[in-house]
Amino acid sequence: MNYQAIRASMENPLLTAFNNLVPAVPVYFDNITAVPPNTTTEYVRVNITFGITNEPTLTSSVDNARGALVIRLFTEKGRGPARNQELVTTAVNVLETINDTAKTTAGVFVKVGEINGPSFSATDESPHFVGRIYTGYVATVLT
């Protein structure tokens, strides 16, 4: 099972999409980069978890994994939900593009499930308005 390739199949398109926004929005992944303490700027936090990673297949040439993808979008609090919703739309567009990608003969083939959310929250302690979407995924390692 190639966990890193599965992560990359979802992380790379998200990173590219948020880096292409004007201005670019920083993206933080599991155990790679830490959000700067006391930041008030907008950013995205992506968490990928693995659930079933040994699902039986009809052939021995593929490995299947199931898990969850959670995307949290942090924007400046007190300015309304519009900017957060723009970032949510970017994330949803990436997930839909992943689902539209055709299966190849090598690499990782990923499909995400229903997208839940967005849900929004803000607390007195945080300087951010937080949007959240999440979905399950199924990944097949083809090589």
Side-chain angles (χ1 to χ4, degrees):
M1 183 63 59
N2 190 334
Y3 298 107
Q4 195 54 35
I6 292 170
R7 281 185 177 284
S9 68
M10 292 176 272
E11 290 176 347
N12 288 343
L14 286 163
L15 182 62
T16 299
F18 286 106
N19 280 341
N20 287 340
L21 295 177
V22 178
V25 177
V27 180
Y28 298 97
F29 299 105
D30 295 321
N31 201 30
I32 295 178
T33 50
V35 176
N38 303 318
T39 185
T40 58
T41 60
E42 62 187 20
Y43 64 94
V44 176
R45 180 90 189 151
V46 177
N47 301 106
I48 296 173
T49 62
F50 293 90
I52 298 172
T53 58
N54 62 346
E55 184 176 40
T57 63
L58 296 176
T59 68
S60 60
S61 62
V62 297
D63 289 320
N64 289 332
R66 295 177 186 268
L69 170 64
V70 180
I71 303 169
R72 292 177 186 85
L73 310 113
F74 297 80
T75 55
E76 189 177 346
K77 186 167 62 175
R79 302 194 68 188
R83 177 61 176 163
N84 200 283
Q85 291 169 352
E86 289 172 5
L87 298 182
V88 166
T89 299
T90 298
V92 168
N93 288 343
V94 169
L95 298 178
E96 289 174 346
T97 299
I98 288 172
N99 271 352
D100 291 341
T101 302
K103 188 174 185 179
T104 61
T105 58
V108 177
F109 179 64
V110 176
K111 289 290 186 187
V112 300
E114 294 177 348
I115 299 169
N116 296 283
S119 60
F120 299 101
S121 63
T123 64
D124 290 338
E125 295 80 32
S126 172
H128 293 100
F129 182 73
V130 182
R132 179 180 184 265
I133 61 172
Y134 64 96
T135 184
Y137 69 85
V138 176
T140 303
V141 180
L142 301 169
T143 57

